[in-house]
Amino acid sequence: PAAQLPADTRGTTASSHFHSTTSLTLIRTVSTQYNSLMTPINRLLTVLVLVASHQSSVTSFSPSPITTAVRTTSHHSSLFASSTAPENERADTNPSTKFGSPLSDSVKEANRFAIGFLKGTIFDTFFVGEDRAYARFYALETIARVPYFSYLSVLHLYETLGKWRRVKYLKLHFAESWNEMHHLLIMEELGGSERFFDRFLAQHCAFGYFLIVITLYLINPVQAYNLNQDVEEHAFATYD
């Protein structure tokens, strides 16, 4: 016990205890301030890493010229027959020229009206105000990925049926979806998906949009591409 120690020893013990308590308090204060400072820095570093990975990913998945494998033996020729496009199909440069047709001005106007109606009824109603900016961007990026999934679904169907077997546009649309996915990750990191209602609304709009774009792409790929152009222009205007 301290009472049994000499007087000078008791004073030294009390002083040591005081300095120890003060040091712990100082360490806790510094630690709290350090954590509060590092939170925005960590977010910024996360965004920079995502942007850098996005750049490298798009470069990795950029479409390359189509090459045709040539086999001289009859044993292997059947294995590569399905990946070689017929001669008449090679003349088509993209799905729009293969399956689509030009759009009239009335159809283009209808697409713009549909996107404007969606913007006015959903985005300008539920995502208004500076405090809702990240939530609005999150919803936009969730929906912006959908057309590329729709394109890939239809092109895979055409590939299965033997109607379209060109890998260029499969790579291209996958790279575009990968690009949008990184945008979505950034918005999630910044807190855009924190509310359940925002996730619910964005994901259900995306599912409905997915079905619409598949239908349009089956009917006329040009119209599906035009509709996506209107969506991207709205997203650009929102970010700007």
Side-chain angles (χ1 to χ4, degrees):
Q4 299 177 1
L5 297 175
D8 55 345
T9 304
R10 290 199 302 271
T12 303
T13 303
S15 176
S16 299
H17 177 70
F18 172 77
H19 286 298
S20 176
T21 303
T22 305
S23 298
L24 287 175
T25 303
L26 178 62
I27 290 173
R28 288 172 182 168
T29 303
V30 172
S31 177
T32 301
Q33 293 178 349
Y34 174 79
N35 289 334
S36 62
L37 175 64
M38 287 304 294
T39 298
I41 294 179
N42 285 336
R43 284 189 171 187
L44 177 61
L45 291 176
T46 302
V47 170
L48 292 176
V49 169
L50 287 175
V51 171
S53 63
H54 147 63
Q55 294 291 342
S56 61
S57 300
V58 172
T59 303
S60 302
F61 288 105
S62 59
S64 57
I66 301 173
T67 57
T68 303
V70 178
R71 297 290 177 172
T72 55
T73 61
S74 59
H75 175 71
H76 295 289
S77 60
S78 61
L79 296 178
F80 291 86
S82 60
S83 62
T84 305
E87 198 66 34
N88 58 351
E89 188 172 331
R90 294 174 191 167
D92 298 316
T93 57
N94 57 61
S96 295
T97 58
K98 176 70 175 179
F99 306 105
S101 59
L103 298 181
S104 64
D105 292 337
S106 60
V107 173
K108 294 179 181 179
E109 187 61 33
N111 284 346
R112 284 191 290 269
F113 174 80
I115 299 305
F117 178 79
L118 179 67
K119 173 182 178 295
T121 56
I122 295 181
F123 285 91
D124 291 345
T125 301
F126 300 104
F127 301 102
V128 180
E130 293 184 1
D131 60 326
R132 302 286 289 149
Y134 288 140
R136 186 185 183 106
F137 295 153
Y138 162 79
L140 278 173
E141 297 302 341
T142 301
I143 295 173
R145 302 178 64 199
V146 167
Y148 309 114
F149 298 149
S150 301
Y151 304 158
L152 289 172
S153 298
V154 176
L155 290 177
H156 276 299
L157 173 62
Y158 286 161
E159 182 184 22
T160 302
L161 299 177
K163 298 179 61 178
W164 177 261
R165 286 176 176 167
R166 295 179 71 94
V167 70
K168 177 180 179 180
Y169 278 83
L170 292 173
K171 287 184 176 181
L172 174 63
H173 292 320
F174 178 78
E176 289 169 328
S177 71
W178 196 256
N179 174 36
E180 298 294 350
M181 186 267 286
H182 283 83
H183 296 169
L184 180 63
L185 290 177
I186 292 173
M187 291 305 113
E188 290 177 344
E189 181 64 26
L190 293 174
S193 60
E194 289 181 349
R195 297 186 184 181
F196 170 79
F197 175 78
D198 295 337
R199 298 194 303 272
F200 179 89
L201 185 60
Q203 292 166 4
H204 281 74
C205 287
F207 179 71
Y209 188 36
F210 174 76
L211 298 179
I212 292 173
V213 176
I214 279 186
T215 304
L216 292 178
Y217 204 85
L218 285 169
I219 297 173
N220 187 357
V222 179
Q223 185 173 357
Y225 287 135
N226 179 259
L227 183 66
N228 187 37
Q229 178 183 347
D230 293 333
V231 173
E232 291 295 337
E233 287 177 354
H234 165 60
F236 174 79
T238 300
Y239 280 111
D240 192 50

